[in-house]
């Protein structure tokens, strides 16, 4: 982090020439959503107009979210519900990122291309969209107690429980997490499957407080295996590779916009993007932006200050 | 570990005077079981006679196990099934250890004495034996999917889901682990409950392979809370305090017998017992005993070599 810590972030709010100069440097803007475009269920004023301005000026807009339970189609509906026009193609979620990573970046042997999923329907839909075969997930056959027979079958490598074609274990947020799923995931990885996680956020905000996040499903496996998963969510560069795999953008002409230094800004800096833009409407403070360990290239009081570039 | 690493372990097998001298130093012997008395379902020859010899010479024998799913009564049946005579009073399991720790060592306020249990019936039975009130555990009301109502109730601190008298969260091996249990445990600790674990072994041997252990139930909570539990199993000194709380023994006249340096021998050394005795019928090797970081005071090829002291 030594290099990044020497950035002196430029404050752009209200500075029309600086805003113009900044925007001119980029063709692609990657957006974190909660804390940037909205907070909880509250859309920030000017969000829609700002996105419109960028699109009007020929900028590619991409929404990058660690949410793994929703498919991109579901997420587009969420954006629509908040009044933000978007297309499915503009949305990049950690479950989609994982699917892209599996289908386009991992070089799996012919007979090891199935994915064992711990997670909900959002992951399944995205695997389908990339024609990746999977088992587990929302299949009711896995939503049951472990039995004495299961132990014996798993120990014996019985193919009715351990599919020999599974080459990847993908762990995301699963509201139906249980002992059997944990045991199967462990044994697949021990048998050589790649250990992937959509994201490893330990908690998930809901109803104004926190609940177990996707990372809570990976935690037991990390402990049992003494191995970290390749995590596809921000700030993992596997996600950046996936975004690039799809959009084929020029990193030097791409800017990451976010409210959190440790996920969003770090994601952009480690990805060697041309720019990172912090906004003060979310988690990180001005002090963190200007004197923290991880600093954005520039920052704004709020996203809609970009409208002043006009 | 600097001090312990300077121990030069004495090899006692076949050395009658050394065996006698060693035995004379102790009144109490704490035994690890698997790898010392038996392996899997196979009782080692001479185990019964060795225990008999110790008892005949007035030694107190205590069986110390990290197994949390069995009550002491269940464990006594297991010993009996293997042909080892014992009494419930001689058995010390991590669930019993946890119960003793809660009832005799933790000083809980009057209105915070209930325990929220993640675990099976062994834990419940031991809490009952110490007259500790508990909720959760095997109660079918907790073996269900999380609902949208649950999020709201938990966020609001609704007493139908979050009992205000809970002052301890006790996490052990639970074959019916789920999202709701995880969420409740997290919120109880956030509201001030003490975070305890029967033990934090990440895996559990079964059918010749490994399955998720009690530590796999604590792992998500450790990640979410960024806090380690007080773990009651070996090598935790909370377990030693509990054993002492019950048997009131003189540590200088007590010897821990085990096959694993990192759990059993460490447990005895950190507990400042008068002696630790390694046996070579389990996990650790002679090389580990004589030149590892954690070394026993003495070691034997097998436990029944103690019979040569006669």
């Amino acid at each position: 982090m030594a290099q990044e810590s020497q950035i002196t972030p430029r404050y752009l709010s209200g500075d029309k020439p600086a805003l113009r100069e900044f925007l001119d440097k980029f063709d692609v803007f990657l957006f974190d959503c909660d804390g940037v475009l909205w907070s909880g269920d509250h859309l920030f004023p000017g969000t829609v107009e700002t996105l419109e301005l960028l699109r009007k000026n020929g900028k590619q807009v991409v929404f990058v979210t660690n949410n793994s339970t929703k498919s991109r189609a579901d997420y587009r509906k969420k954006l629509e519900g908040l009044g933000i026009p978007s297309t499915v193609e503009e949305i990049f979620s950690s479950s989609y990122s994982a699917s892209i990573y599996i289908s386009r970046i991992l070089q799996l042997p012919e007979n090891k291309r199935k994915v064992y999923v711990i997670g909900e329907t959002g992951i399944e839909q995205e695997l389908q969209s990339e024609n990746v075969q999977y088992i587990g997930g929302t299949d009711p056959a896995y939503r049951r107690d472990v039995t004495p027979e299961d132990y014996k079958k798993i120990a014996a490598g019985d193919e009715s429980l351990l599919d020999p074609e599974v080459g990847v274990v993908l762990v995301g947020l699963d509201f139906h997490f249980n002992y059997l799923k944990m045991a199967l995931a462990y044994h697949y990885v021990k048998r050589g499957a790649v250990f992937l996680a959509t994201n490893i956020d330990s908690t998930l905000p809901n109803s104004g407080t926190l609940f177990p996040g996707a990372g809570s499903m990976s935690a037991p496996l990390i402990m049992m295996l003494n191995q970290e998963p390749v995590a596809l969510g921000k700030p993992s560069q596997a996600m950046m590779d996936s975004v690039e795999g799809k959009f084929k953008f020029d990193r030097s002409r791409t800017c990451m916009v976010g409210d959190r230094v440790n996920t969003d800004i770090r994601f952009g800096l480690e990805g060697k993007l041309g720019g990172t833009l912090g906004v003060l409407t979310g988690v990180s403070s001005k002090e963190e932006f200007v004197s923290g360990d991880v600093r954005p290239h520039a920052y704004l009081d709020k996203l809609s200050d970009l409208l002043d570039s006009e």
Side-chain angles (χ1 to χ4, degrees), chain A:
Chain A
M1 287 291 149
Q3 205 187 336
E4 285 88 8
S5 70
Q6 288 161 20
I7 292 177
T8 302
R10 186 154 181 195
Y11 177 60
L12 302 179
S13 290
D15 185 342
K16 190 168 176 169
L19 283 166
R20 286 206 164 185
E21 189 193 324
F22 190 83
L23 290 179
D24 284 347
K25 284 197 262 182
F26 308 108
D27 303 321
V28 180
F29 286 83
L30 308 181
F31 281 98
D32 174 49
C33 301
D34 203 338
V36 177
L37 309 177
W38 67 75
S39 176
D41 288 333
H42 169 67
L43 182 69
F44 294 136
T47 289
V48 174
E49 294 77 3
T50 309
L51 294 170
E52 219 163 69
L53 170 74
L54 292 170
R55 289 183 176 120
K56 198 186 69 184
N57 286 307
K59 314 292 187 189
Q60 164 86 54
V61 165
V62 183
F63 304 99
V64 182
T65 169
N66 275 7
N67 188 319
S68 74
T69 57
K70 287 190 169 62
S71 67
R72 288 168 299 152
D74 293 336
Y75 209 72
R76 198 198 67 78
K77 273 184 214 142
K78 184 190 163 99
L79 287 167
E80 191 178 58
L82 284 158
I84 302 173
S86 66
T87 66
V88 166
E89 291 302 306
E90 290 173 330
I91 294 164
F92 215 92
S93 65
S94 63
S95 53
Y96 184 56
S97 170
S99 303
I100 295 273
Y101 187 80
I102 292 165
S103 65
R104 308 191 195 179
I105 295 172
L106 279 184
Q107 304 287 327
L108 297 167
E110 191 84 47
N111 60 346
K112 288 284 180 192
R113 295 203 175 151
K114 266 192 208 168
V115 177
Y116 174 69
V117 174
I118 289 183
E120 299 290 343
T121 181
I123 296 177
E124 295 178 329
Q125 289 177 45
E126 296 306 350
L127 289 171
Q128 282 163 21
S129 79
E130 286 288 307
N131 295 311
V132 175
Q133 277 193 289
Y134 64 86
I135 59 170
T138 62
D139 184 344
Y142 295 84
R143 292 184 180 172
R144 63 173 178 83
D145 289 346
V146 68
T147 67
E149 269 307 295
D150 292 328
Y151 295 119
K152 286 180 206 146
K153 284 187 177 171
I154 290 172
D158 189 311
E159 298 191 0
S160 69
L161 266 180
L162 290 169
D163 187 326
E165 291 186 20
V166 166
V168 174
V169 167
L170 174 59
V171 183
L173 183 54
D174 188 335
F175 298 110
H176 305 83
F177 192 56
N178 63 30
Y179 193 89
L180 177 65
K181 292 182 180 190
M182 234 187 288
L184 290 172
Y186 170 75
H187 280 275
Y188 277 124
V189 177
K190 288 301 272 186
R191 294 160 69 94
V194 178
F195 180 20
L196 300 184
T198 55
N199 59 309
I200 49 167
D201 303 82
S202 67
T203 55
L204 176 80
N206 189 332
S207 306
T209 183
L210 297 173
F211 287 88
S216 293
M217 278 83 227
S218 287
L221 295 166
I222 294 170
M223 191 192 249
M224 290 179 77
L225 295 159
N226 197 20
Q227 180 189 332
E228 297 285 331
V230 172
L232 275 299
K234 294 172 286 182
S236 162
Q237 289 307 306
M239 187 150 185
M240 188 65 86
D241 293 342
S242 296
V243 178
E244 189 184 39
K246 178 175 166 105
F247 292 101
K248 311 282 179 207
F249 54 59
D250 175 354
R251 291 195 187 209
S252 72
R253 303 265 317 153
T254 300
C255 178
M256 176 72 207
V257 187
D259 66 310
R260 291 184 188 227
V261 288
N262 279 328
T263 50
D264 305 319
I265 304 306
R266 199 174 136 204
F267 179 64
L269 291 172
E270 293 183 354
K272 310 247 179 288
L273 298 188
T276 52
L277 179 63
V279 293
L280 289 168
T281 47
V283 171
S284 296
S285 64
K286 181 171 173 171
E287 201 191 325
E288 286 178 85
F289 284 167
V290 300
S291 54
D293 287 343
V294 181
R295 306 178 192 170
H297 294 85
Y299 68 103
L300 295 169
D301 292 330
K302 56 189 188 299
L303 183 70
S304 60
D305 288 348
L306 286 176
L307 292 170
D308 295 332
S309 64
E310 285 288 89

